[in-house]
Amino acid sequence: MVTLAEVAQHAGVSASTVSYVLSGKRSISVNTRQRVERSIRELGYHPNAGARALASSRSNVIALMVPLRTDMYVPVMMEIAIAVATSARAHGYDVLLLTGEEGPDAVRRVAGSGLADGMILMDVELDDERLPLLRETDRPAVLIGLPADTAGLTCVDLDFKATGALCVEHLAQRGHRDIAVIGEAPAVYERHTGFAERTLDGLRGRARELGLGLLHRPCEGGYDAMAVTLARILDERPGTTGFVVQNESAVEPLLALLRQQGRAVPEDMSVVAICPEQVAVQASVRLTSVAIPAQEMGRLAVEQLVAKLGGRGGDEVVLIAPELTVRASSGPAPAR
Amino acid sequence: MVTLAEVAQHAGVSASTVSYVLSGKRSISVNTRQRVERSIRELGYHPNAGARALASSRSNVIALMVPLRTDMYVPVMMEIAIAVATSARAHGYDVLLLTGEEGPDAVRRVAGSGLADGMILMDVELDDERLPLLRETDRPAVLIGLPADTAGLTCVDLDFKATGALCVEHLAQRGHRDIAVIGEAPAVYERHTGFAERTLDGLRGRARELGLGLLHRPCEGGYDAMAVTLARILDERPGTTGFVVQNESAVEPLLALLRQQGRAVPEDMSVVAICPEQVAVQASVRLTSVAIPAQEMGRLAVEQLVAKLGGRGGDEVVLIAPELTVRASSGPAPAR
DNA sequence: GTGAAAGCGCTAACAA
DNA sequence: TTGTTAGCGCTTTCAC
């Protein structure tokens, strides 16, 4: 193993000079810098992460906590995680992957050991059990998702309230008067996951303002559950012509069932989805949708965290504005 | 920040004693152990990861490299990653998440810096560019997937060849004589990804042995691509009654198209899938399938790596035996 | 612009 | 069973 001291000797300079060449924290003559860089290359030197962490008390690692909830749509989680890892590297950080298994203790362990300089928490609940610990810690943290109380916390999320409102507006503009919302599995609401409730707020608020009928039904994924849910909706509100779906595993079943029942999309029924771009594009009917900006969420979370680690930027709630893309699944309401 | 020295003082022992209580590397009197443990608790001590890594030259971190290929089925990747993280914790290791972004250099960086003690590589190609670097390094590594040359490497994977054979056998036993294989996207084969080719070997080998007709067609995901592929297959081999599908995003389109064309599953056509359990169960027809044992792959990979890190176990290829679960999508071939 | 040297907090001989 | 101590490789103050 090559050490900094060996590089220094090889280049004929002191250890501190090599260190400063590496960190750029003080000016070095061009000559010296080149000699050092050459030695580094020739010897194949890599700074030791442990020694560096010990001496500088910064690990250049950020922890990413991914609770493993089976009812969350996995590809989005993964996309965020990858975006976090990639953006982190661009800022000189590595990413430590923590699962929910360990529970809130992971926060304590990682913060206490100095394994990571800061952390990003995904899939945050409204009343998340990790938050109290987080507030105790002095390590900077960024949440992806909004808890009920954001005081003293930095959060990044899609503006789900605006998203709900946007979906209702889209349908209202096309003349739909009765809208049904197919939501996430009941468990998601019971857990008081922020995004689901905020979406609902947005949907209901705008529906009220525009005087539309709105029926909301949580739904487990799959064909059977969707069949039951759809039957109930059409039974209670036969005049329903617009659907807003916020549940990836209900999308295709809904389309199939409507088809089966001879209801054409978008001629008889319009469907707007809140889902990842990929799901919207690959569905059997290309879906008008508001995309989940997974990449941007990951990237923004890292940028916020890096800013905090650098002493810049304080607590902030960063909401990403929703964008609705019109595709083949929505159109004018049918004449009565 | 509480240090080991402070704990030692508080407990009235020397630093090394505290260290040994923590590591269990030498026997400690019950009395002393309890006093130390009490001090640790009272002071809220957490060992500093950097100092530990520096002194012991082991970081207790394993790196997980996840290349981000858009044509790989993401939930499986995620499931493996989570299983790796969880099993790693159970062995006292944390997991560093590396994406493909950085390319093979990541191997050099992580190995050189001592950031991780060993690494697990996912989504290994037959002729993977990371392998030469890996062989240079002295850090233990485990691959998930099989490269062409496994010499000096430890690999964990589903036995895809046996999987292919198993699928053909299942259909043959039920009287099917002409089988079509819907494969992964062409790009997957072009990249010479091991699992796709090995599956094909197994399929072809057993079909030959049993004297069955076998047609293999790669297929991009989605409805349109599947429609084209299916039409061609039925055109070339009108007598086809059995399908083997190894492409998550072709499963539902295939079922929908068969339905549309009035071909009942399993009465007219049998379908066997090679896919994650979840996909098989959630499909519109519950699929007879060989599951991708993602969790087990992750777990085994960690166990192999931990064994190597502990100086136990050498290079080995660990193949997981496939298990075929019969569900509603396969049955006897229709009478001619 | 460069060097010397004191730690950072822990582990693991070596001693007792 | 326990203590003493010499580093591990790097960063950073202080001095020139």
Side-chain angles (χ1 to χ4, degrees), chain B residues 226-274:
Chain B
M226 188 63 243
V228 174
T229 304
L230 180 60
R232 287 217 191 123
I233 289 172
L234 294 180
D235 195 41
E236 290 182 62
R237 292 277 193 286
T240 298
T241 59
F243 287 91
V244 175
V245 191
Q246 182 175 216
N247 183 333
E248 287 76 13
S249 51
V251 162
E252 203 50 53
L254 173 62
L255 294 175
L257 287 164
L258 290 176
R259 212 177 293 134
Q260 236 173 60
Q261 303 184 0
R263 304 182 190 251
V265 172
E267 290 78 4
D268 304 326
M269 295 286 192
S270 284
V271 176
V272 177
I274 302 170

Side-chain angles (χ1 to χ4, degrees), chain A residues 15-74:
Chain A
S16 61
T17 298
V18 177
S19 176
Y20 284 119
V21 166
L22 252 27
S23 68
K25 286 188 182 172
R26 78 181 184 192
S27 48
I28 304 281
S29 73
V30 181
N31 190 329
T32 305
R33 147 165 295 116
Q34 288 180 342
R35 280 219 316 290
V36 170
E37 279 166 351
R38 184 148 170 278
S39 298
I40 288 179
R41 237 176 299 115
E42 285 184 10
L43 299 180
Y45 168 73
H46 284 274
N48 180 289
R52 188 169 259 189
L54 177 57
S56 65
S57 45
R58 306 190 323 101
S59 64
N60 277 291
V61 167
I62 67 189
L64 178 67
M65 294 197 55
V66 188
L68 11 70
R69 303 220 175 83
T70 49
D71 49 6
M72 296 310 300
Y73 187 65
V74 177

